[in-house]
């Protein structure tokens, strides 16, 4: 597998300055912090190569003798108790960067280090008032000028605040005028101040295009941090260290075409002054993010993947369902998820044969004698993978569970919102194509909470959800390529078919998706997807088409949902054949 991924890789029997861990990588829970912590004192690491959803990694040392010390100590030994014994090999060179990793900053991303003096830093930090009124789940926050609305990443320009941007910030603009002539005259009218404790982060996001002008400016105070950037159109990502007292300018492509976020963890891997990689523990950090409102809202940028004004996102109000409460959501799921899968279960099972490769890899890399739980196991196609692991499956469909029983799997009936397993009792968990059937943000959040609850410390969870965008890098997913009738997605100006569901005498209108086409008519992700039974499965007068409820996910939405749980770390996130995917690790 490594040679296929890294053409030209050259292994060596003699000690080299590069060491490959053949069976441990991001896929099965290793990260740079673990590596640095374990080999501390044995050798100086200059570089890493850890690839998304791969179970191997590379380390480059200052000298071959450093690599040899690590090789001799850890060959066939474990980094931690639940880790497999390490398989190690010397390499003559590092593989080239993954095509989804980036060496150069995108256009318009500028970092001005030591932008302010320590005295001004202390003055600005003194402005931060931390109390219960300004407290969010994972951080303290204050707004000036306008309140920044989390969730939509925007503001209501009709509701200005009495609290304006403090005059102590005025010195920043004279400094900016001198440091960057292209931004001379920039004067923001909105400021959000966040206080972050070590271990806190922010979900990956892009500030709403039509609401804010170019640029977005962020001042880091108190502690350095690693910020993650990702281009949803290409999948390219990179990390950037933001030192204390530095000013980050996001303009042009970096403002409109990239998301940015901070992974919730207590330390980062950074380069020392000597050029070696080391662990830098996070401390109390403050961010001052300045924005200027665009009135009236508008945007004609070229970055349509993240633009809220792109034509495919303009949906008539009559096609957007009203927000449903928890009781109504549960009944919607009962009628258009649970009952449907009980009806179509046997036919559905016939179409689900082979495990998806990256899910299979995850299960194969679960350590021997571990316990793995498959939440929403369906017909149990993943319960046959890796015979060295004890596997349990649960599902809401009696029909699909009967298929599992006939195949000899250990399964039980339950709702993913309430798993009847005690806390801290399984080593790994998967949830493949399940959470997108839940009808509210809170219910999707609860489903992830349940998986985290049953995981043991350092346990891993793999989650897959259906992506709204079924094309990546201008390549169609298998879902679109299987469009045998060559049907086209509805144009943005043509109304989709609308289904009116009546639940408890309340009417909910949802667009009906045209199978094997892009999701072009669901601005909020809520949609009904038809399932057509084979003729032999139904009687002559029975219903042949069933409508299943889905919430299809935007780029960054799954990561954002997971980041609301502060006791997990996102080990990896990726796009896999029309699905958004994350690997979580329970850290406490």
């Amino acid at each position: 597998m490594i040679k296929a991924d890294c053409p030209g890789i050259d292994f060596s029997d003699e000690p080299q300055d590069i060491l490959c861990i053949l069976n441990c990588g991001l896929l099965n829970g290793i990260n740079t912090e673990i590596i640095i912590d374990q080999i501390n004192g044995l050798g100086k690491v200059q570089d890493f190569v850890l690839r998304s959803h791969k179970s191997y990694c590379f380390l480059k040392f200052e000298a071959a003798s450093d690599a040899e010390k690590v090789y001799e100590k850890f060959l066939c030994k474990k980094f931690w108790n639940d880790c497999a014994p390490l398989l190690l090999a010397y390499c003559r060179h590092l593989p080239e960067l993954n095509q989804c990793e980036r060496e150069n900053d995108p256009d318009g991303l500028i970092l001005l280090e030591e932008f302010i003096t320590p005295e001004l830093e202390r003055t600005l930090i003194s402005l931060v008032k931390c109390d219960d009124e300004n407290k969010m789940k994972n951080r303290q926050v204050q707004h000036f000028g306008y309140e920044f609305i989390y969730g939509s990443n925007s503001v209501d320009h009709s509701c200005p605040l009495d609290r304006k941007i403090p005059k102590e910030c005025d010195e920043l603009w004279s400094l900016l005028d001198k440091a960057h002539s292209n931004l001379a005259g920039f004067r923001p009218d909105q400021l959000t101040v966040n206080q972050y404790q070590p271990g806190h982060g922010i979900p990956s996001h892009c500030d709403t295009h039509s609401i804010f002008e170019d640029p977005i400016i962020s001042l880091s105070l108190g502690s350095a941090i690693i910020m993650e950037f990702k281009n949803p159109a290409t999948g390219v990502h990179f990390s950037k260290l933001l030192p204390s007292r530095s000013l980050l300018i996001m303009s042009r492509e970096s403002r409109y075409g990239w998301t940015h976020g901070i992974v919730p963890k207590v330390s980062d891997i950074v380069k020392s002054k000597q050029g070696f990689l080391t662990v830098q523990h996070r401390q109390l950090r403050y961010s001052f993010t300045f924005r200027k409102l665009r009135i009236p809202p508008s945007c004609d940028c070229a970055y349509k993947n993240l633009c809220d004004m792109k034509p495919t996102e303009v949906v008539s109000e009559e096609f957007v369902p009203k927000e449903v409460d928890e009781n109504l959501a549960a009944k919607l799921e009962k009628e258009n998820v649970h009952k449907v899968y009980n009806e179509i279960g046997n036919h559905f099972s016939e179409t689900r044969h082979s495990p998806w490769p990256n899910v299979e890899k995850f299960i194969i890399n679960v350590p021997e004698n571990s316990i793995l739980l498959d939440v929403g196991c369906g017909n149990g196609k993943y319960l046959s993978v890796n015979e060295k692991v004890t596997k349990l499956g649960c599902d809401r469909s009696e029909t699909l569970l009967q298929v599992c029983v006939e195949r000899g799997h250990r399964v039980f009936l339950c709702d993913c919102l309430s798993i009847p397993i005690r806390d801290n009792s399984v080593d790994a968990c998967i949830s493949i194509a399940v959470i997108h059937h839940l009808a509210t943000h809170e219910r999707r959040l609860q489903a992830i909470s349940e998986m985290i609850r049953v995981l043991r410390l350092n346990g891993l969870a793999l989650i897959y959800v259906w992506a709204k965008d079924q094309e990546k890098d201008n390549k169609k997913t298998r879902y679109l390529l299987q469009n045998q009738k060559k049907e086209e997605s509805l144009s943005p100006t043509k109304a989709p078919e609308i289904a009116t569901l009546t639940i408890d005498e309340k009417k909910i209108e949802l667009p009906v998706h045209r199978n094997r086409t892009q999701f072009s008519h669901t601005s909020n992700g809520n949609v009904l997807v038809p399932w057509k039974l084979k003729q032999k499965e139904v009687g002559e007068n029975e219903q042949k088409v069933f409508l299943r409820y889905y919430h299809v996910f935007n780029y960054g939405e799954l990561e954002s949902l997971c980041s609301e749980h502060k006791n997990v770390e996102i080990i990896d996130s990726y796009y896999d054949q029309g699905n958004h995917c994350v690997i979580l690790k329970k850290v406490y």
Side-chain angles (χ1 to χ4, degrees):
M1 180 178 70
I2 298 177
K3 289 189 174 182
D5 290 342
C6 310
I9 191 71
D10 189 9
F11 292 109
S12 170
D13 293 331
E14 299 298 323
Q16 305 290 328
D17 60 349
I18 296 168
L19 199 60
C20 177
I21 303 179
L22 301 166
N23 62 334
C24 221
L26 289 173
L27 180 64
N28 44 2
I30 201 170
N31 57 39
T32 49
E33 287 88 346
I34 291 173
I35 296 172
I36 289 290
D37 181 62
Q38 291 294 325
I39 67 176
N40 186 33
L42 292 176
K44 295 179 178 178
V45 180
Q46 292 183 323
D47 203 0
F48 287 104
V49 173
L50 289 94
R51 293 185 164 180
S52 295
H53 48 280
K54 298 297 181 183
S55 56
Y56 58 82
C57 62
F58 296 86
L59 291 72
K60 179 175 174 57
F61 292 86
E62 181 184 24
S65 57
D66 291 341
E68 190 173 12
K69 292 176 186 176
V70 174
Y71 183 94
E72 291 176 351
K73 178 171 181 177
F74 286 107
L75 180 64
C76 296
K77 303 291 178 57
K78 297 182 178 183
F79 268 170
W80 67 89
N81 288 337
D82 294 331
C83 172
L86 299 184
L87 302 178
L88 306 174
Y90 295 112
C91 298
R92 290 189 171 86
H93 61 83
L94 280 176
E96 293 182 3
L97 274 177
N98 188 312
Q99 62 179 354
C100 288
E101 296 170 346
R102 184 186 181 102
E103 291 182 297
N104 301 318
D105 293 344
D107 177 51
L109 188 69
I110 301 166
L111 182 67
L112 303 176
E113 297 189 26
E114 296 186 353
F115 181 71
I116 63 172
T117 64
E119 291 75 20
L120 181 54
E121 178 183 36
R122 288 192 290 270
T123 298
L124 294 177
I125 290 176
S126 70
L127 300 174
V128 181
K129 299 184 183 300
C130 299
D131 51 45
D132 290 338
E133 181 181 353
N134 297 319
K135 190 173 183 180
M136 294 184 67
K137 181 173 182 179
N138 288 331
R139 59 187 184 272
Q140 300 278 356
V141 63
Q142 288 178 263
H143 305 284
F144 300 85
Y146 297 84
E147 181 178 356
F148 186 79
I149 303 171
Y150 292 95
S152 63
N153 298 314
S154 63
V155 301
D156 184 349
H157 63 80
S158 66
C159 298
L161 300 175
D162 294 333
R163 186 170 58 247
K164 305 305 178 185
I165 296 177
K167 65 181 185 306
E168 288 84 352
C169 296
D170 291 348
E171 186 176 342
L172 299 175
W173 315 127
S174 59
L175 292 172
L176 183 61
D177 290 346
K178 295 175 183 177
H180 207 281
S181 58
N182 289 343
L183 295 177
F186 173 77
R187 299 297 183 267
D189 49 18
Q190 195 277 331
L191 164 63
T192 298
V193 178
N194 279 286
Q195 181 196 76
Y196 298 94
Q197 298 287 342
H200 292 169
I202 53 175
S204 183
H205 69 284
C206 176
D207 292 349
T208 303
H209 288 199
S210 65
I211 301 297
F212 303 112
E213 292 188 359
D214 184 346
I216 305 292
I217 291 180
S218 182
L219 181 68
S220 293
L221 306 176
S223 176
I225 201 79
I226 294 287
M227 182 167 279
E228 306 291 338
F229 292 84
K230 191 168 187 177
N231 186 325
T234 63
V236 174
H237 63 270
F238 73 99
S239 305
K240 194 168 189 69
L241 175 66
L242 308 183
S244 179
R245 298 190 288 116
S246 67
L247 188 76
L248 180 71
I249 301 169
M250 290 177 282
S251 181
R252 301 191 298 276
E253 180 190 357
S254 66
R255 154 75 176 101
Y256 294 112
W258 292 71
T259 63
H260 58 280
I262 296 172
V263 177
K265 51 186 181 180
V266 297
S267 61
D268 294 301
I269 298 298
V270 300
K271 280 196 174 182
S272 67
K273 293 180 179 179
Q274 293 75 30
F276 304 118
L277 295 175
T278 184
V279 173
Q280 179 172 282
H281 294 284
R282 294 182 183 179
Q283 299 176 9
L284 188 63
R285 174 179 176 267
Y286 304 85
S287 71
F288 282 55
T289 302
F290 298 92
R291 308 173 180 91
K292 184 171 179 59
L293 271 63
R294 192 197 303 268
I295 301 176
S298 64
C299 186
D300 59 356
C301 74
Y303 306 100
K304 301 305 180 186
N305 278 284
L306 293 172
C307 187
D308 59 307
M309 300 296 285
K310 64 181 181 179
T312 55
E313 292 294 321
V314 179
V315 181
S316 172
E317 285 293 326
E318 63 182 303
F319 300 141
V320 180
K322 296 178 181 179
E323 191 67 28
V324 296
D325 60 29
E326 289 300 296
N327 183 53
L328 200 59
K331 292 182 178 179
L332 172 62
E333 293 162 16
K334 179 180 178 180
E335 294 297 323
N336 290 86
V337 180
H338 305 158
K339 285 187 177 180
V340 169
Y341 278 100
N342 272 337
E343 291 285 344
I344 70 172
N346 289 319
H347 182 206
F348 179 84
S349 178
E350 291 175 8
T351 67
R352 300 300 187 267
H353 305 291
S354 303
W356 293 344
N358 284 322
V359 180
E360 187 175 34
K361 286 180 184 178
F362 177 87
I363 299 172
I364 289 173
N365 282 287
V366 173
E368 186 176 348
N369 298 322
S370 296
I371 298 174
L372 179 139
L373 175 65
D374 185 349
V375 179
C377 62
N379 66 355
K381 70 176 182 179
Y382 294 111
L383 298 177
S384 298
V385 179
N386 193 349
E387 294 303 320
K388 296 180 180 179
V389 169
T390 298
K391 295 174 292 295
L392 302 173
C394 61
D395 204 281
R396 190 63 175 75
S397 168
E398 294 95 333
T399 304
L400 289 170
L401 287 178
Q402 184 58 40
V403 175
C404 292
V405 171
E406 292 169 359
R407 294 177 176 179
H409 299 312
R410 301 183 184 93
V411 294
F412 56 93
L413 177 69
C414 80
D415 194 303
C416 66
L417 298 175
S418 181
I419 302 173
I421 291 181
R422 67 175 182 268
D423 298 357
N424 308 309
S425 57
V426 303
D427 302 287
C429 188
I430 62 173
S431 174
I432 311 302
V434 176
I435 293 175
H436 54 217
H437 285 307
L438 299 172
T440 66
H441 174 88
E442 291 73 18
R443 294 170 75 80
R444 295 186 282 273
L445 197 66
Q446 173 62 21
I448 296 175
S449 295
E450 276 294 277
M451 284 185 278
I452 297 170
R453 178 185 64 79
V454 301
L455 273 178
R456 290 176 177 148
L457 183 64
N458 295 320
L460 300 180
L462 173 64
I463 302 172
Y464 269 54
V465 295
W466 210 0
K468 181 179 176 182
D469 193 347
Q470 289 294 306
E471 290 188 13
K472 182 175 175 60
D473 301 335
N474 295 319
K475 294 181 181 179
K476 294 182 178 181
T477 60
R478 283 193 291 267
Y479 175 74
L480 297 183
L481 293 174
Q482 290 171 356
N483 186 347
Q484 297 177 355
K485 296 182 179 179
K486 306 300 180 185
E487 293 188 37
E488 297 294 331
S489 299
L490 291 174
S491 68
T493 58
K494 185 176 180 180
E497 178 188 348
I498 297 297
T500 301
L501 309 177
T502 302
I503 300 176
D504 285 351
E505 300 182 352
K506 294 182 180 179
K507 295 185 182 299
I508 300 176
E509 291 186 337
L510 286 166
V512 178
H513 176 58
R514 184 175 293 183
N515 280 329
R516 307 296 175 186
T517 67
Q518 277 280 27
F519 292 97
S520 58
H521 275 283
T522 171
S523 64
N524 56 13
N526 300 321
V527 65
L528 296 172
V529 178
W531 182 277
K532 298 180 181 180
L533 282 180
K534 292 181 179 179
Q535 185 67 36
K536 67 177 183 179
E537 299 286 344
V538 295
E540 186 174 338
N541 298 320
E542 294 184 60
Q543 184 183 13
K544 298 179 183 179
V545 179
F546 296 85
L547 297 178
R548 298 169 293 161
Y549 169 81
Y550 279 85
H551 173 82
V552 288
F553 280 63
N554 282 305
Y555 280 100
E557 185 178 353
L558 179 58
E559 291 95 327
S560 176
L561 194 67
C562 294
S563 295
E564 292 190 45
H565 300 83
K566 59 184 180 180
N567 61 334
V568 295
E569 177 182 340
I570 297 177
I571 298 296
D572 197 10
S573 64
Y574 56 96
Y575 181 93
D576 186 9
Q577 280 297 328
N579 296 279
H580 293 305
C581 323
V582 298
I583 297 177
L584 302 177
K585 180 179 180 180
K586 184 173 180 177
V587 293
Y588 64 86

